[in-house]
Amino acid sequence: MSLGTFDCLLSSLRTVLTFMDTNMRRSITPEERLIVTLRFLATGNSFASLHFEFLLGTSTISRIVRHTCQVIWEQLRETVMPQPKVDDWLRIAEGFNLSAQFPNCLGAMDGKHIRVKKPPHSGSRFFNYKHFFSIVLMAVADSNYKFIMVDIGAYGSTADARIFSASRMGERLRANQLAIPESRRLPGSAGPPAPFVFVADEGFALTNHVMRPFPKRGLDVRRRIYNYRLTRARRYVECAFGILSSKWRVFLSSIQMDPENATRVIQACVVLHNFTRIHEASSSVDLDDFPTTTVLGLDRTLHRRPGTAGIAVRELYADYFLSPEGSLPWQRDAIRGSV
């Protein structure tokens, strides 16, 4: 985080981070509160280690981190991650069309397991299929690696499709409350209008607004091209997770907090991720610097029969990507040798 970005962040939070001095002691300044919190999020150091760096008590540091993370989420969420309107969705879709050549795409969706210490008396609820305890960050990202919508705090043992279905964004999508634009024809196509969609992996259910790859068995050229094009768009959320973890290294080890406070830490990091992406937009990102990973991501498939509406939409996109209007010059070379 640059000095200018820090000053902008501090000015946005100064009022709620300012406490009254007393006759017994002077309050900790907003600058120090924010620096302590950012140091914890950026390094993942223990509170005992931060005690020697800032000469504050470990319990004091713990309270500062919890409170500041909550303030960051409450004060900045609507500013850096507002609920998109129709014009915002259209702008996001244009970004995916330009960068990933996937038209009518509203975002890339995936989940990430965040390591936490085992909560007491929790049984196996937080124990995921990769054999560690976690809570799940479910997110939708745009082509600028910013998070559009998030759902945080689901049990690590829960499949990603169920997490999305039970989340607020999943409920609003089913209720048609996300202000998604009306269907429109794909660029250059004379075919029927295509719905705007989110792209996801095999772990999500196929619907008319959520596209997933074709099953890997018995793929023909048409289906392999569709999977390739969808993967090119879906990698943006995986790269967003990579950027998030590389900048906020608290995610590189287990968060030594209870799930409620760990959720606050994740919320603050998501907001700070978008805040820095907005205020340091000149920093370029190479997709090769953040390869897709399966160590902390969600890649378990929940087997269920897709709906007929989702199948029809997927077939429409598959036909378009093979047509002269929607094909890419290199796509056949890219799938050569794929299964």
Side-chain angles (χ1 to χ4, degrees), residues 163-185:
I163 294 172
F164 177 72
S165 179
S167 68
R168 178 170 172 78
M169 55 184 173
E171 293 175 351
R172 296 188 67 185
L173 179 62
R174 289 194 302 273
N176 197 26
Q177 296 177 348
L178 290 181
I180 292 177
E182 294 292 330
S183 302
R184 69 179 182 184
R185 287 191 176 93

mmCIF file of all heavy atoms in Angstrom, residues 163-185:
data_model
loop_
_atom_site.group_PDB
_atom_site.id
_atom_site.type_symbol
_atom_site.label_atom_id
_atom_site.label_comp_id
_atom_site.label_asym_id
_atom_site.label_seq_id
_atom_site.Cartn_x
_atom_site.Cartn_y
_atom_site.Cartn_z
ATOM 1 N N ILE A 163 -23.189 -23.578 -0.558
ATOM 2 C CA ILE A 163 -22.854 -22.275 0.021
ATOM 3 C C ILE A 163 -23.457 -21.160 -0.819
ATOM 4 O O ILE A 163 -24.088 -20.233 -0.299
ATOM 5 C CB ILE A 163 -21.332 -22.110 0.126
ATOM 6 C CG1 ILE A 163 -20.755 -23.112 1.129
ATOM 7 C CG2 ILE A 163 -20.971 -20.681 0.538
ATOM 8 C CD1 ILE A 163 -19.240 -23.139 1.154
ATOM 9 N N PHE A 164 -23.261 -21.239 -2.138
ATOM 10 C CA PHE A 164 -23.807 -20.202 -3.007
ATOM 11 C C PHE A 164 -25.324 -20.191 -2.972
ATOM 12 O O PHE A 164 -25.949 -19.129 -2.944
ATOM 13 C CB PHE A 164 -23.311 -20.412 -4.439
ATOM 14 C CG PHE A 164 -23.887 -19.429 -5.417
ATOM 15 C CD1 PHE A 164 -23.477 -18.104 -5.411
ATOM 16 C CD2 PHE A 164 -24.856 -19.814 -6.339
ATOM 17 C CE1 PHE A 164 -24.011 -17.188 -6.297
ATOM 18 C CE2 PHE A 164 -25.385 -18.912 -7.231
ATOM 19 C CZ PHE A 164 -24.974 -17.595 -7.210
ATOM 20 N N SER A 165 -25.932 -21.369 -2.959
ATOM 21 C CA SER A 165 -27.393 -21.444 -2.952
ATOM 22 C C SER A 165 -27.978 -20.820 -1.690
ATOM 23 O O SER A 165 -29.032 -20.172 -1.735
ATOM 24 C CB SER A 165 -27.842 -22.900 -3.080
ATOM 25 O OG SER A 165 -29.233 -23.011 -3.048
ATOM 26 N N ALA A 166 -27.287 -21.009 -0.547
ATOM 27 C CA ALA A 166 -27.797 -20.483 0.718
ATOM 28 C C ALA A 166 -27.372 -19.049 0.982
ATOM 29 O O ALA A 166 -27.871 -18.427 1.923
ATOM 30 C CB ALA A 166 -27.335 -21.374 1.866
ATOM 31 N N SER A 167 -26.454 -18.513 0.188
ATOM 32 C CA SER A 167 -25.952 -17.161 0.416
ATOM 33 C C SER A 167 -26.976 -16.121 -0.023
ATOM 34 O O SER A 167 -27.918 -16.407 -0.763
ATOM 35 C CB SER A 167 -24.644 -16.944 -0.360
ATOM 36 O OG SER A 167 -24.882 -16.947 -1.750
ATOM 37 N N ARG A 168 -26.752 -14.900 0.423
ATOM 38 C CA ARG A 168 -27.655 -13.813 0.055
ATOM 39 C C ARG A 168 -27.603 -13.544 -1.443
ATOM 40 O O ARG A 168 -28.631 -13.301 -2.076
ATOM 41 C CB ARG A 168 -27.291 -12.544 0.833
ATOM 42 C CG ARG A 168 -28.151 -11.337 0.465
ATOM 43 C CD ARG A 168 -27.930 -10.179 1.411
ATOM 44 N NE ARG A 168 -28.603 -8.972 0.975
ATOM 45 C CZ ARG A 168 -29.894 -8.743 1.110
ATOM 46 N NH1 ARG A 168 -30.662 -9.660 1.657
ATOM 47 N NH2 ARG A 168 -30.430 -7.615 0.687
ATOM 48 N N MET A 169 -26.407 -13.627 -2.041
ATOM 49 C CA MET A 169 -26.335 -13.360 -3.482
ATOM 50 C C MET A 169 -27.002 -14.480 -4.272
ATOM 51 O O MET A 169 -27.596 -14.229 -5.322
ATOM 52 C CB MET A 169 -24.878 -13.151 -3.925
ATOM 53 C CG MET A 169 -23.910 -14.241 -3.581
ATOM 54 S SD MET A 169 -22.222 -13.782 -4.078
ATOM 55 C CE MET A 169 -21.262 -15.118 -3.378
ATOM 56 N N GLY A 170 -26.924 -15.719 -3.791
ATOM 57 C CA GLY A 170 -27.629 -16.800 -4.460
ATOM 58 C C GLY A 170 -29.127 -16.642 -4.372
ATOM 59 O O GLY A 170 -29.860 -16.877 -5.350
ATOM 60 N N GLU A 171 -29.617 -16.242 -3.200
ATOM 61 C CA GLU A 171 -31.049 -16.026 -3.023
ATOM 62 C C GLU A 171 -31.544 -14.874 -3.896
ATOM 63 O O GLU A 171 -32.618 -14.953 -4.507
ATOM 64 C CB GLU A 171 -31.347 -15.740 -1.549
ATOM 65 C CG GLU A 171 -31.107 -16.934 -0.632
ATOM 66 C CD GLU A 171 -31.283 -16.580 0.823
ATOM 67 O OE1 GLU A 171 -31.418 -15.359 1.118
ATOM 68 O OE2 GLU A 171 -31.289 -17.493 1.675
ATOM 69 N N ARG A 172 -30.768 -13.813 -3.983
ATOM 70 C CA ARG A 172 -31.178 -12.667 -4.800
ATOM 71 C C ARG A 172 -31.128 -12.999 -6.282
ATOM 72 O O ARG A 172 -31.938 -12.495 -7.064
ATOM 73 C CB ARG A 172 -30.292 -11.467 -4.493
ATOM 74 C CG ARG A 172 -30.413 -10.967 -3.057
ATOM 75 C CD ARG A 172 -29.666 -9.674 -2.844
ATOM 76 N NE ARG A 172 -30.296 -8.598 -3.596
ATOM 77 C CZ ARG A 172 -29.802 -7.366 -3.681
ATOM 78 N NH1 ARG A 172 -28.649 -7.084 -3.074
ATOM 79 N NH2 ARG A 172 -30.418 -6.439 -4.370
ATOM 80 N N LEU A 173 -30.188 -13.854 -6.678
ATOM 81 C CA LEU A 173 -30.135 -14.267 -8.075
ATOM 82 C C LEU A 173 -31.371 -15.079 -8.437
ATOM 83 O O LEU A 173 -31.981 -14.863 -9.496
ATOM 84 C CB LEU A 173 -28.860 -15.074 -8.332
ATOM 85 C CG LEU A 173 -28.669 -15.600 -9.752
ATOM 86 C CD1 LEU A 173 -28.571 -14.450 -10.752
ATOM 87 C CD2 LEU A 173 -27.421 -16.479 -9.840
ATOM 88 N N ARG A 174 -31.767 -16.007 -7.583
ATOM 89 C CA ARG A 174 -32.960 -16.809 -7.855
ATOM 90 C C ARG A 174 -34.223 -15.960 -7.856
ATOM 91 O O ARG A 174 -35.163 -16.234 -8.612
ATOM 92 C CB ARG A 174 -33.087 -17.930 -6.821
ATOM 93 C CG ARG A 174 -32.065 -19.029 -6.968
ATOM 94 C CD ARG A 174 -32.454 -20.243 -6.141
ATOM 95 N NE ARG A 174 -32.591 -19.910 -4.725
ATOM 96 C CZ ARG A 174 -31.588 -19.924 -3.861
ATOM 97 N NH1 ARG A 174 -30.370 -20.243 -4.276
ATOM 98 N NH2 ARG A 174 -31.791 -19.630 -2.584
ATOM 99 N N ALA A 175 -34.247 -14.921 -7.002
ATOM 100 C CA ALA A 175 -35.425 -14.050 -6.926
ATOM 101 C C ALA A 175 -35.392 -12.929 -7.954
ATOM 102 O O ALA A 175 -36.285 -12.073 -7.948
ATOM 103 C CB ALA A 175 -35.535 -13.466 -5.521
ATOM 104 N N ASN A 176 -34.366 -12.932 -8.817
ATOM 105 C CA ASN A 176 -34.233 -11.901 -9.859
ATOM 106 C C ASN A 176 -34.165 -10.498 -9.248
ATOM 107 O O ASN A 176 -34.808 -9.561 -9.723
ATOM 108 C CB ASN A 176 -35.392 -12.000 -10.857
ATOM 109 C CG ASN A 176 -35.087 -11.257 -12.152
ATOM 110 O OD1 ASN A 176 -33.922 -11.076 -12.521
ATOM 111 N ND2 ASN A 176 -36.124 -10.820 -12.854
ATOM 112 N N GLN A 177 -33.343 -10.351 -8.193
ATOM 113 C CA GLN A 177 -33.221 -9.071 -7.501
ATOM 114 C C GLN A 177 -31.835 -8.448 -7.644
ATOM 115 O O GLN A 177 -31.495 -7.532 -6.907
ATOM 116 C CB GLN A 177 -33.536 -9.260 -6.010
ATOM 117 C CG GLN A 177 -34.962 -9.683 -5.725
ATOM 118 C CD GLN A 177 -35.211 -9.940 -4.246
ATOM 119 O OE1 GLN A 177 -34.271 -10.017 -3.453
ATOM 120 N NE2 GLN A 177 -36.472 -10.067 -3.867
ATOM 121 N N LEU A 178 -31.049 -8.929 -8.595
ATOM 122 C CA LEU A 178 -29.692 -8.403 -8.782
ATOM 123 C C LEU A 178 -29.604 -7.350 -9.879
ATOM 124 O O LEU A 178 -28.508 -6.922 -10.238
ATOM 125 C CB LEU A 178 -28.725 -9.555 -9.100
ATOM 126 C CG LEU A 178 -28.405 -10.518 -7.969
ATOM 127 C CD1 LEU A 178 -27.429 -11.589 -8.432
ATOM 128 C CD2 LEU A 178 -27.831 -9.777 -6.765
ATOM 129 N N ALA A 179 -30.734 -6.929 -10.417
ATOM 130 C CA ALA A 179 -30.765 -5.919 -11.488
ATOM 131 C C ALA A 179 -29.952 -6.361 -12.696
ATOM 132 O O ALA A 179 -29.279 -5.549 -13.346
ATOM 133 C CB ALA A 179 -30.263 -4.564 -10.969
ATOM 134 N N ILE A 180 -29.997 -7.660 -13.011
ATOM 135 C CA ILE A 180 -29.269 -8.179 -14.169
ATOM 136 C C ILE A 180 -29.918 -7.661 -15.446
ATOM 137 O O ILE A 180 -31.145 -7.650 -15.571
ATOM 138 C CB ILE A 180 -29.284 -9.722 -14.149
ATOM 139 C CG1 ILE A 180 -28.441 -10.229 -12.970
ATOM 140 C CG2 ILE A 180 -28.752 -10.303 -15.452
ATOM 141 C CD1 ILE A 180 -28.438 -11.731 -12.823
ATOM 142 N N PRO A 181 -29.123 -7.190 -16.407
ATOM 143 C CA PRO A 181 -29.694 -6.658 -17.651
ATOM 144 C C PRO A 181 -30.490 -7.709 -18.421
ATOM 145 O O PRO A 181 -30.310 -8.916 -18.247
ATOM 146 C CB PRO A 181 -28.457 -6.202 -18.448
ATOM 147 C CG PRO A 181 -27.368 -6.073 -17.439
ATOM 148 C CD PRO A 181 -27.655 -7.077 -16.368
ATOM 149 N N GLU A 182 -31.366 -7.224 -19.280
ATOM 150 C CA GLU A 182 -32.136 -8.119 -20.134
ATOM 151 C C GLU A 182 -31.207 -8.834 -21.123
ATOM 152 O O GLU A 182 -30.154 -8.330 -21.491
ATOM 153 C CB GLU A 182 -33.191 -7.327 -20.907
ATOM 154 C CG GLU A 182 -34.281 -6.714 -20.031
ATOM 155 C CD GLU A 182 -35.170 -7.773 -19.400
ATOM 156 O OE1 GLU A 182 -35.339 -8.854 -20.022
ATOM 157 O OE2 GLU A 182 -35.675 -7.539 -18.291
ATOM 158 N N SER A 183 -31.626 -10.021 -21.527
ATOM 159 C CA SER A 183 -30.833 -10.799 -22.488
ATOM 160 C C SER A 183 -30.613 -10.000 -23.766
ATOM 161 O O SER A 183 -31.464 -9.196 -24.182
ATOM 162 C CB SER A 183 -31.552 -12.111 -22.820
ATOM 163 O OG SER A 183 -31.784 -12.868 -21.648
ATOM 164 N N ARG A 184 -29.454 -10.205 -24.387
ATOM 165 C CA ARG A 184 -29.171 -9.541 -25.656
ATOM 166 C C ARG A 184 -28.352 -10.480 -26.528
ATOM 167 O O ARG A 184 -27.718 -11.417 -26.047
ATOM 168 C CB ARG A 184 -28.424 -8.228 -25.434
ATOM 169 C CG ARG A 184 -27.006 -8.379 -24.929
ATOM 170 C CD ARG A 184 -26.338 -7.028 -24.757
ATOM 171 N NE ARG A 184 -24.949 -7.167 -24.313
ATOM 172 C CZ ARG A 184 -24.160 -6.147 -24.006
ATOM 173 N NH1 ARG A 184 -24.638 -4.909 -24.055
ATOM 174 N NH2 ARG A 184 -22.916 -6.353 -23.630
ATOM 175 N N ARG A 185 -28.386 -10.215 -27.831
ATOM 176 C CA ARG A 185 -27.642 -11.055 -28.761
ATOM 177 C C ARG A 185 -26.143 -10.940 -28.506
ATOM 178 O O ARG A 185 -25.632 -9.882 -28.161
ATOM 179 C CB ARG A 185 -27.965 -10.660 -30.202
ATOM 180 C CG ARG A 185 -29.343 -11.087 -30.680
ATOM 181 C CD ARG A 185 -29.472 -10.894 -32.190
ATOM 182 N NE ARG A 185 -30.740 -11.390 -32.678
ATOM 183 C CZ ARG A 185 -31.839 -10.657 -32.815
ATOM 184 N NH1 ARG A 185 -31.798 -9.377 -32.478
ATOM 185 N NH2 ARG A 185 -32.961 -11.200 -33.258
#
